Protein backbone atom coordinates (compact mmCIF):
# COMPACT_ATOMS: atom_id res chain seq x y z
CA UNK A 1 0.00 0.00 0.00
CA UNK A 2 1.37 3.45 -0.96
CA UNK A 3 2.73 5.36 2.03
CA UNK A 4 0.98 8.68 2.45
CA UNK A 5 2.30 11.92 3.93
CA UNK A 6 0.59 13.04 7.10
CA UNK A 7 -0.60 16.21 5.39
CA UNK A 8 -0.70 17.84 1.95
CA UNK A 9 -1.27 21.30 0.60
CA UNK A 10 -4.17 19.91 -1.43
CA UNK A 11 -6.01 16.61 -1.44
CA UNK A 12 -7.80 16.01 -4.71
CA UNK A 13 -10.72 13.61 -4.32
CA UNK A 14 -11.37 11.88 -7.65
CA UNK A 15 -8.78 11.28 -10.36
CA UNK A 16 -10.63 11.66 -13.65
CA UNK A 17 -10.02 14.45 -16.16
CA UNK A 18 -10.95 17.22 -13.71
CA UNK A 19 -8.99 15.91 -10.75
CA UNK A 20 -5.84 15.01 -12.63
CA UNK A 21 -5.69 18.31 -14.50
CA UNK A 22 -6.25 20.18 -11.23
CA UNK A 23 -3.47 18.14 -9.62
CA UNK A 24 -1.16 18.77 -12.58
CA UNK A 25 -1.53 22.53 -12.19
CA UNK A 26 -0.85 22.29 -8.47
CA UNK A 27 2.19 20.00 -8.58
CA UNK A 28 3.78 22.25 -11.21
CA UNK A 29 3.49 25.07 -8.64
CA UNK A 30 5.45 22.88 -6.22
CA UNK A 31 2.37 22.12 -4.11
CA UNK A 32 2.27 18.83 -2.24
CA UNK A 33 -0.73 17.02 -3.70
CA UNK A 34 -2.47 13.73 -3.06
CA UNK A 35 -5.01 12.43 -5.58
CA UNK A 36 -7.32 9.76 -4.16
CA UNK A 37 -9.21 7.99 -6.91
CA UNK A 38 -11.69 5.12 -6.86
CA UNK A 39 -10.70 4.28 -10.45
CA UNK A 40 -14.08 4.38 -12.20
CA UNK A 41 -14.34 7.42 -14.48
CA UNK A 42 -17.85 7.92 -15.76
CA UNK A 43 -16.96 7.12 -19.36
CA UNK A 44 -15.13 3.88 -18.48
CA UNK A 45 -17.67 1.68 -20.36
CA UNK A 46 -16.93 3.52 -23.65
CA UNK A 47 -14.33 2.31 -26.13
CA UNK A 48 -12.84 5.75 -26.70
CA UNK A 49 -12.93 9.41 -25.70
CA UNK A 50 -14.22 11.50 -28.60
CA UNK A 51 -14.30 15.21 -29.29
CA UNK A 52 -11.04 15.71 -27.40
CA UNK A 53 -8.36 17.55 -29.32
CA UNK A 54 -5.05 15.69 -29.53
CA UNK A 55 -6.38 12.51 -27.87
CA UNK A 56 -9.29 11.69 -30.17
CA UNK A 57 -10.51 8.11 -29.66
CA UNK A 58 -8.10 7.23 -26.83
CA UNK A 59 -9.55 4.59 -24.44
CA UNK A 60 -10.79 6.38 -21.28
CA UNK A 61 -8.64 4.38 -18.85
CA UNK A 62 -5.54 5.00 -20.99
CA UNK A 63 -6.17 8.75 -20.78
CA UNK A 64 -6.35 8.73 -16.97
CA UNK A 65 -3.32 6.41 -16.74
CA UNK A 66 -1.35 8.99 -18.73
CA UNK A 67 -2.64 11.77 -16.47
CA UNK A 68 -1.64 9.85 -13.34
CA UNK A 69 1.90 9.45 -14.67
CA UNK A 70 2.10 13.14 -15.54
CA UNK A 71 1.07 14.11 -11.99
CA UNK A 72 3.54 11.61 -10.49
CA UNK A 73 6.26 12.97 -12.80
CA UNK A 74 6.17 16.22 -10.82
CA UNK A 75 6.14 14.52 -7.44
CA UNK A 76 2.38 14.23 -6.88
CA UNK A 77 1.00 11.24 -5.03
CA UNK A 78 -1.83 9.32 -6.71
CA UNK A 79 -3.47 6.43 -4.90
CA UNK A 80 -6.41 4.17 -5.58
CA UNK A 81 -8.99 4.47 -2.84
CA UNK A 82 -12.38 5.77 -1.88
CA UNK A 83 -12.96 8.82 0.30
CA UNK A 84 -15.80 8.31 2.75
CA UNK A 85 -15.63 11.49 4.88
CA UNK A 86 -14.10 14.95 5.00
CA UNK A 87 -14.11 16.93 8.28
CA UNK A 88 -12.90 20.38 9.07
CA UNK A 89 -10.58 20.01 12.03
CA UNK A 90 -8.89 23.41 11.94
CA UNK A 91 -10.22 26.83 12.82
CA UNK A 92 -13.13 27.19 10.41
CA UNK A 93 -12.27 30.86 9.90
CA UNK A 94 -8.68 30.22 8.85
CA UNK A 95 -9.27 29.89 5.12
CA UNK A 96 -11.21 33.14 5.23
CA UNK A 97 -8.64 34.99 7.28
CA UNK A 98 -5.46 34.73 5.26
CA UNK A 99 -3.30 35.73 8.20
CA UNK A 100 -3.38 32.19 9.55
CA UNK A 101 -0.56 30.19 7.96
CA UNK A 102 -0.94 27.27 10.35
CA UNK A 103 -3.71 25.61 8.39
CA UNK A 104 -1.82 22.46 7.39
CA UNK A 105 -4.41 20.41 9.28
CA UNK A 106 -7.48 22.33 8.19
CA UNK A 107 -9.26 19.28 6.78
CA UNK A 108 -9.09 15.59 7.57
CA UNK A 109 -9.86 13.23 4.71
CA UNK A 110 -10.83 9.67 5.56
CA UNK A 111 -10.50 6.73 3.19
CA UNK A 112 -12.63 3.58 3.18
CA UNK A 113 -9.55 1.50 4.01
CA UNK A 114 -9.17 3.34 7.35
CA UNK A 115 -6.32 5.65 6.37
CA UNK A 116 -6.64 9.42 6.78
CA UNK A 117 -4.63 12.49 5.78
CA UNK A 118 -4.76 16.21 6.52
CA UNK A 119 -4.98 18.98 3.94
CA UNK A 120 -4.97 22.76 3.70
CA UNK A 121 -7.42 22.70 0.82
CA UNK A 122 -9.73 20.14 -0.81
CA UNK A 123 -10.51 19.79 -4.50
CA UNK A 124 -13.53 17.54 -5.13
CA UNK A 125 -13.68 15.99 -8.60
CA UNK A 126 -15.67 12.82 -8.05
CA UNK A 127 -17.90 13.17 -11.12
CA UNK A 128 -21.45 11.90 -11.35
CA UNK A 129 -23.37 8.64 -11.55
CA UNK A 130 -25.65 8.03 -14.53
CA UNK A 131 -28.94 6.66 -13.23
CA UNK A 132 -30.28 4.63 -16.15
CA UNK A 133 -33.92 3.76 -16.88
CA UNK A 134 -34.69 0.40 -15.19
CA UNK A 135 -35.33 -1.64 -18.34
CA UNK A 136 -34.15 -5.23 -18.76
CA UNK A 137 -31.03 -5.54 -20.92
CA UNK A 138 -30.30 -1.80 -21.01
CA UNK A 139 -27.49 -1.37 -18.47
CA UNK A 140 -25.38 -4.13 -20.05
CA UNK A 141 -25.17 -2.17 -23.30
CA UNK A 142 -24.52 1.28 -21.73
CA UNK A 143 -21.61 3.09 -23.35
CA UNK A 144 -21.74 0.87 -26.45
CA UNK A 145 -25.01 0.84 -28.38
CA UNK A 146 -27.04 2.35 -25.52
CA UNK A 147 -25.87 5.94 -25.42
CA UNK A 148 -26.90 9.44 -24.44
CA UNK A 149 -24.65 12.00 -26.11
CA UNK A 150 -24.38 12.72 -29.84
CA UNK A 151 -21.03 14.44 -29.33
CA UNK A 152 -19.52 11.46 -27.47
CA UNK A 153 -20.57 8.61 -29.75
CA UNK A 154 -22.97 9.97 -32.34
CA UNK A 155 -20.42 9.58 -35.13
CA UNK A 156 -19.99 5.91 -34.23
CA UNK A 157 -23.72 5.22 -34.87
CA UNK A 158 -24.13 7.50 -37.89
CA UNK A 159 -26.55 6.23 -40.56
CA UNK A 160 -27.75 3.46 -38.23
CA UNK A 161 -31.32 2.70 -37.10
CA UNK A 162 -31.62 4.66 -33.87
CA UNK A 163 -34.37 4.75 -31.23
CA UNK A 164 -34.70 7.51 -28.65
CA UNK A 165 -36.26 6.44 -25.34
CA UNK A 166 -38.40 9.23 -23.89
CA UNK A 167 -38.19 9.47 -20.10
CA UNK A 168 -38.32 13.27 -19.87
CA UNK A 169 -38.65 16.49 -21.85
CA UNK A 170 -35.00 16.36 -23.06
CA UNK A 171 -35.79 13.32 -25.22
CA UNK A 172 -37.24 15.45 -28.02
CA UNK A 173 -34.09 17.58 -28.00
CA UNK A 174 -31.96 14.42 -28.20
CA UNK A 175 -34.02 13.04 -31.08
CA UNK A 176 -33.66 16.30 -33.01
CA UNK A 177 -29.88 16.35 -32.43
CA UNK A 178 -29.55 12.80 -33.74
CA UNK A 179 -31.28 13.80 -37.00
CA UNK A 180 -27.89 15.31 -37.86
CA UNK A 181 -26.41 11.81 -37.78
CA UNK A 182 -29.00 9.50 -39.32
CA UNK A 183 -32.25 9.63 -41.29
CA UNK A 184 -33.75 6.64 -39.46
CA UNK A 185 -34.95 7.64 -35.98
CA UNK A 186 -37.82 6.24 -33.95
CA UNK A 187 -39.03 8.25 -30.93
CA UNK A 188 -40.24 5.79 -28.28
CA UNK A 189 -42.85 7.68 -26.23
CA UNK A 190 -42.35 5.27 -23.26
CA UNK A 191 -43.01 7.39 -20.12
CA UNK A 192 -42.76 10.88 -21.69
CA UNK A 193 -44.93 11.30 -24.80
CA UNK A 194 -44.14 14.38 -26.87
CA UNK A 195 -46.40 17.44 -26.65
CA UNK A 196 -48.33 18.36 -29.80
CA UNK A 197 -45.82 21.10 -30.54
CA UNK A 198 -42.87 18.71 -30.17
CA UNK A 199 -44.63 15.99 -32.15
CA UNK A 200 -44.90 18.48 -35.02
CA UNK A 201 -41.14 19.15 -34.84
CA UNK A 202 -40.39 15.42 -34.85
CA UNK A 203 -42.69 14.86 -37.81
CA UNK A 204 -41.11 17.77 -39.69
CA UNK A 205 -37.68 16.14 -39.29
CA UNK A 206 -38.90 12.69 -40.34
CA UNK A 207 -38.79 11.12 -36.85
CA UNK A 208 -41.34 8.31 -36.43
CA UNK A 209 -43.17 8.23 -33.08
CA UNK A 210 -44.02 4.87 -31.47
CA UNK A 211 -46.26 4.88 -28.39
CA UNK A 212 -46.13 2.24 -25.65
CA UNK A 213 -43.89 1.30 -22.74
CA UNK A 214 -40.52 -0.31 -23.50
CA UNK A 215 -39.93 -3.38 -21.33
CA UNK A 216 -36.75 -4.90 -22.76
CA UNK A 217 -33.67 -4.05 -24.77
CA UNK A 218 -32.86 -6.92 -27.14
CA UNK A 219 -29.43 -8.05 -28.31
CA UNK A 220 -28.21 -10.50 -30.90
CA UNK A 221 -24.63 -11.63 -31.44
CA UNK A 222 -23.30 -9.14 -28.89
CA UNK A 223 -25.05 -6.18 -30.50
CA UNK A 224 -28.28 -4.36 -29.75
CA UNK A 225 -30.98 -5.57 -32.09
CA UNK A 226 -34.08 -3.72 -30.93
CA UNK A 227 -36.54 -3.10 -28.13
CA UNK A 228 -39.66 -4.93 -26.99
CA UNK A 229 -42.78 -3.01 -25.96
CA UNK A 230 -45.18 -4.08 -23.22
CA UNK A 231 -47.68 -5.33 -25.84
CA UNK A 232 -44.99 -7.61 -27.32
CA UNK A 233 -44.22 -5.48 -30.37
CA UNK A 234 -40.53 -5.60 -31.34
CA UNK A 235 -38.93 -2.55 -32.94
CA UNK A 236 -35.71 -3.47 -34.77
CA UNK A 237 -32.93 -0.98 -34.02
CA UNK A 238 -29.10 -0.74 -33.98
CA UNK A 239 -28.73 1.79 -31.16
CA UNK A 240 -30.79 3.25 -28.32
CA UNK A 241 -30.47 6.79 -27.01
CA UNK A 242 -31.47 7.30 -23.36
CA UNK A 243 -31.56 10.21 -20.92
CA UNK A 244 -29.96 9.19 -17.60
CA UNK A 245 -30.57 11.17 -14.43
CA UNK A 246 -27.26 12.71 -13.36
CA UNK A 247 -26.48 12.22 -9.68
CA UNK A 248 -23.39 13.88 -8.17
CA UNK A 249 -20.92 11.53 -6.47
CA UNK A 250 -20.02 13.96 -3.68
CA UNK A 251 -22.42 13.00 -0.92
CA UNK A 252 -19.54 12.65 1.59
CA UNK A 253 -19.46 16.47 1.81
CA UNK A 254 -22.71 16.69 3.75
CA UNK A 255 -20.99 17.04 7.14
CA UNK A 256 -19.14 20.07 5.79
CA UNK A 257 -22.46 21.65 4.87
CA UNK A 258 -22.39 20.88 1.14
CA UNK A 259 -25.44 18.95 0.02
CA UNK A 260 -26.39 18.20 -3.58
CA UNK A 261 -28.94 20.58 -5.09
CA UNK A 262 -31.08 20.22 -8.22
CA UNK A 263 -29.17 21.36 -11.31
CA UNK A 264 -30.96 24.27 -13.07
CA UNK A 265 -31.19 22.23 -16.31
CA UNK A 266 -33.43 19.68 -14.57
CA UNK A 267 -31.17 16.74 -15.53
CA UNK A 268 -30.24 15.79 -11.97
CA UNK A 269 -28.30 17.24 -9.05
CA UNK A 270 -24.91 18.83 -8.41
CA UNK A 271 -22.88 20.76 -5.84
CA UNK A 272 -23.02 24.44 -6.85
CA UNK A 273 -19.79 26.42 -7.27
CA UNK A 274 -18.65 29.71 -8.78
CA UNK A 275 -16.96 29.73 -12.22
CA UNK A 276 -13.56 29.18 -10.55
CA UNK A 277 -14.76 26.10 -8.65
CA UNK A 278 -15.12 27.75 -5.24
CA UNK A 279 -17.95 26.21 -3.18
CA UNK A 280 -19.88 27.96 -0.41
CA UNK A 281 -17.57 26.30 2.15
CA UNK A 282 -14.18 28.08 2.48
CA UNK A 283 -11.29 25.87 1.43
CA UNK A 284 -13.41 23.33 -0.45
CA UNK A 285 -13.28 23.53 -4.24
CA UNK A 286 -15.05 21.45 -6.85
CA UNK A 287 -14.69 20.86 -10.61
CA UNK A 288 -15.94 18.63 -13.42
CA UNK A 289 -19.16 16.63 -13.48
CA UNK A 290 -19.62 16.79 -9.70
CA UNK A 291 -20.67 20.42 -10.15
CA UNK A 292 -21.28 20.67 -13.91
CA UNK A 293 -23.14 17.62 -15.29
CA UNK A 294 -22.83 18.96 -18.84
CA UNK A 295 -19.01 19.08 -18.87
CA UNK A 296 -17.37 16.69 -21.31
CA UNK A 297 -13.81 15.50 -20.78
CA UNK A 298 -12.19 18.65 -22.19
CA UNK A 299 -14.43 20.96 -20.17
CA UNK A 300 -13.95 18.90 -16.99
CA UNK A 301 -10.17 19.00 -17.42
CA UNK A 302 -10.28 22.77 -18.02
CA UNK A 303 -12.41 23.32 -14.91
CA UNK A 304 -9.99 21.23 -12.85
CA UNK A 305 -7.06 23.25 -14.16
CA UNK A 306 -8.84 26.51 -13.31
CA UNK A 307 -9.63 25.34 -9.77
CA UNK A 308 -6.05 24.14 -9.30
CA UNK A 309 -4.66 27.53 -10.32
CA UNK A 310 -7.11 29.37 -8.06
CA UNK A 311 -6.29 27.16 -5.08
CA UNK A 312 -2.59 27.85 -5.59
CA UNK A 313 -3.25 31.60 -5.73
CA UNK A 314 -5.35 31.42 -2.57
CA UNK A 315 -2.55 29.60 -0.74
CA UNK A 316 0.04 32.14 -1.95
CA UNK A 317 -2.12 35.00 -0.63
CA UNK A 318 -2.67 33.21 2.70
CA UNK A 319 1.08 32.63 3.11
CA UNK A 320 1.86 36.22 2.13
CA UNK A 321 -0.59 37.67 4.66
CA UNK A 322 0.86 35.42 7.36
CA UNK A 323 4.41 36.47 6.44
CA UNK A 324 3.40 40.15 6.65
CA UNK A 325 1.96 39.55 10.13
CA UNK A 326 5.15 37.84 11.26
CA UNK A 327 7.25 40.68 9.82
CA UNK A 328 5.17 43.29 11.62
CA UNK A 329 5.37 41.32 14.86
CA UNK A 330 9.15 41.06 14.64
CA UNK A 331 9.47 44.78 13.83
CA UNK A 332 7.15 45.58 16.77
CA UNK A 333 9.26 43.39 19.06
CA UNK A 334 12.43 45.15 17.90
CA UNK A 335 10.94 48.59 18.63
CA UNK A 336 9.66 47.66 22.11
CA UNK A 337 12.86 45.77 22.84
C1 LIG B 1 -20.72 6.22 -21.62
C2 LIG B 1 -20.10 7.59 -21.63
C3 LIG B 1 -19.28 7.98 -22.67
C4 LIG B 1 -18.73 9.25 -22.70
N1 LIG B 1 -17.95 9.60 -23.75
C5 LIG B 1 -17.39 10.82 -23.78
C6 LIG B 1 -16.61 11.21 -24.89
O1 LIG B 1 -16.44 10.47 -25.85
N2 LIG B 1 -16.05 12.45 -24.87
C7 LIG B 1 -16.23 13.31 -23.83
O2 LIG B 1 -15.68 14.42 -23.86
N3 LIG B 1 -16.99 12.96 -22.77
C8 LIG B 1 -17.56 11.74 -22.72
N4 LIG B 1 -18.34 11.38 -21.65
C9 LIG B 1 -18.45 12.30 -20.51
C10 LIG B 1 -17.24 12.09 -19.58
O3 LIG B 1 -17.33 10.82 -18.99
C11 LIG B 1 -17.19 13.18 -18.51
O4 LIG B 1 -17.16 14.44 -19.13
C12 LIG B 1 -15.94 13.06 -17.64
O5 LIG B 1 -15.78 11.75 -17.17
C13 LIG B 1 -16.00 14.04 -16.48
O6 LIG B 1 -14.79 14.02 -15.80
P1 LIG B 1 -14.71 14.16 -14.21
O7 LIG B 1 -13.26 14.21 -13.88
O8 LIG B 1 -15.59 15.26 -13.75
O9 LIG B 1 -15.37 12.82 -13.63
P2 LIG B 1 -14.94 11.30 -13.85
O10 LIG B 1 -14.19 11.12 -15.11
O11 LIG B 1 -16.16 10.48 -13.66
O12 LIG B 1 -13.91 11.03 -12.68
C14 LIG B 1 -14.30 10.98 -11.34
C15 LIG B 1 -13.38 10.03 -10.60
O13 LIG B 1 -13.65 10.14 -9.20
C16 LIG B 1 -13.67 8.84 -8.64
N5 LIG B 1 -14.48 8.87 -7.42
C17 LIG B 1 -15.83 8.94 -7.27
N6 LIG B 1 -16.17 8.95 -5.97
C18 LIG B 1 -15.00 8.87 -5.28
C19 LIG B 1 -14.68 8.85 -3.88
N7 LIG B 1 -15.64 8.92 -2.93
N8 LIG B 1 -13.37 8.76 -3.52
C20 LIG B 1 -12.38 8.72 -4.46
N9 LIG B 1 -12.64 8.74 -5.80
C21 LIG B 1 -13.92 8.83 -6.19
C22 LIG B 1 -14.27 7.97 -9.73
O14 LIG B 1 -13.95 6.60 -9.53
C23 LIG B 1 -13.60 8.57 -10.98
O15 LIG B 1 -12.37 7.94 -11.25
C24 LIG B 1 -18.97 10.15 -21.63
C25 LIG B 1 -19.80 9.75 -20.57
C26 LIG B 1 -20.38 8.51 -20.58
C27 LIG B 1 -21.29 8.12 -19.45
Amino acid sequence: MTELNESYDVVVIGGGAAGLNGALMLVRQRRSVLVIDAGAPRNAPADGVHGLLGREGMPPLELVALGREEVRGYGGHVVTGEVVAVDRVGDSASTDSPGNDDDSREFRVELADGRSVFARRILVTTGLADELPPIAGLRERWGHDVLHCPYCHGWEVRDQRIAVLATGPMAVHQALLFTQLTDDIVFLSHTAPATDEDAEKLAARGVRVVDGEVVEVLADGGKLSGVRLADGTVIDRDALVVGPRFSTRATFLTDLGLTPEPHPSGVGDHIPADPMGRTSVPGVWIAGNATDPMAQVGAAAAAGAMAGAQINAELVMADTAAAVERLRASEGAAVTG
Side-chain angles (χ1 to χ4, degrees):
M1 199 179 283
T2 310
E3 194 162 327
L4 305 179
N5 295 352
E6 188 181 323
S7 71
Y8 292 85
D9 288 329
V10 184
V11 170
V12 179
I13 307 173
L20 290 169
N21 218 146
L24 190 58
M25 293 296 269
L26 286 158
V27 287
R28 282 177 47 78
Q29 295 305 307
R30 314 183 79 173
R31 294 293 173 193
S32 61
V33 175
L34 170 65
V35 179
I36 305 168
D37 181 40
R42 183 182 163 213
N43 54 350
D47 293 333
V49 179
H50 295 287
L52 185 65
L53 189 69
R55 298 290 182 192
E56 176 59 26
M58 175 174 274
L61 294 181
E62 206 174 310
L63 185 70
V64 290
L66 275 178
R68 281 178 168 219
E69 286 317 304
E70 287 169 352
V71 170
R72 286 182 175 129
Y74 291 100
H77 289 181
V78 184
V79 295
T80 300
E82 186 193 349
V83 169
V84 289
V86 182
D87 309 311
R88 186 188 290 280
V89 289
D91 169 5
S92 62
S94 68
T95 51
D96 276 342
S97 55
N100 182 356
D101 68 343
D102 187 21
D103 60 354
S104 60
R105 290 170 163 253
E106 186 64 29
F107 297 98
R108 195 178 69 92
V109 180
E110 192 184 326
L111 283 80
D113 61 19
R115 292 182 291 176
S116 64
V117 291
F118 294 99
R120 296 181 71 185
R121 300 291 185 274
I122 301 293
L123 174 56
V124 179
T125 50
T126 42
L128 65 78
D130 293 280
E131 292 175 7
L132 299 171
I135 294 176
L138 187 149
R139 173 164 290 282
E140 297 88 308
R141 311 221 55 80
W142 173 237
H144 302 289
D145 33 27
V146 171
L147 51 134
H148 73 302
C149 164
Y151 305 105
C152 300
H153 9 226
W155 174 266
E156 284 62 42
V157 297
R158 68 194 181 283
D159 295 328
Q160 294 187 12
R161 301 170 305 167
I162 293 176
V164 177
L165 182 77
T167 52
M170 284 300 286
V172 172
H173 180 67
Q174 281 180 304
L176 293 175
L177 287 181
F178 273 90
T179 61
Q180 184 64 20
L181 296 156
T182 181
D183 292 333
D184 187 351
I185 301 182
V186 167
F187 181 89
L188 299 164
S189 298
H190 189 54
T191 57
T195 61
D196 289 347
E197 191 185 342
D198 283 340
E200 187 182 32
K201 288 181 191 163
L202 294 173
R205 296 305 306 265
V207 176
R208 186 159 63 93
V209 174
V210 172
D211 293 329
E213 192 189 344
V214 175
V215 293
E216 188 179 1
V217 173
L218 306 170
D220 188 18
K223 280 187 57 48
L224 188 144
S225 60
V227 296
R228 190 191 313 281
L229 305 184
D231 67 4
T233 308
V234 170
I235 316 278
D236 293 334
R237 295 284 95 185
D238 303 311
L240 178 67
V241 176
V242 300
R245 182 183 179 279
F246 301 143
S247 172
T248 186
R249 291 195 284 201
T251 45
F252 54 84
L253 297 173
T254 311
D255 288 349
L256 283 175
L258 286 173
T259 46
E261 294 180 13
H263 190 265
S265 66
V267 295
D269 60 34
H270 75 140
I271 304 277
D274 77 7
M276 305 299 168
R278 193 181 282 104
T279 69
S280 59
V281 172
V284 180
W285 298 69
I286 193 160
N289 278 170
T291 180
D292 177 5
M294 303 306 184
Q296 290 193 270
V297 170
M306 174 63 81
Q310 295 297 319
I311 293 170
N312 178 60
E314 185 179 85
L315 290 172
V316 168
M317 295 312 146
D319 292 344
T320 302
V324 167
E325 273 182 27
R326 282 197 304 274
L327 181 67
R328 285 178 185 161
S330 67
E331 286 170 351
V335 169
T336 52

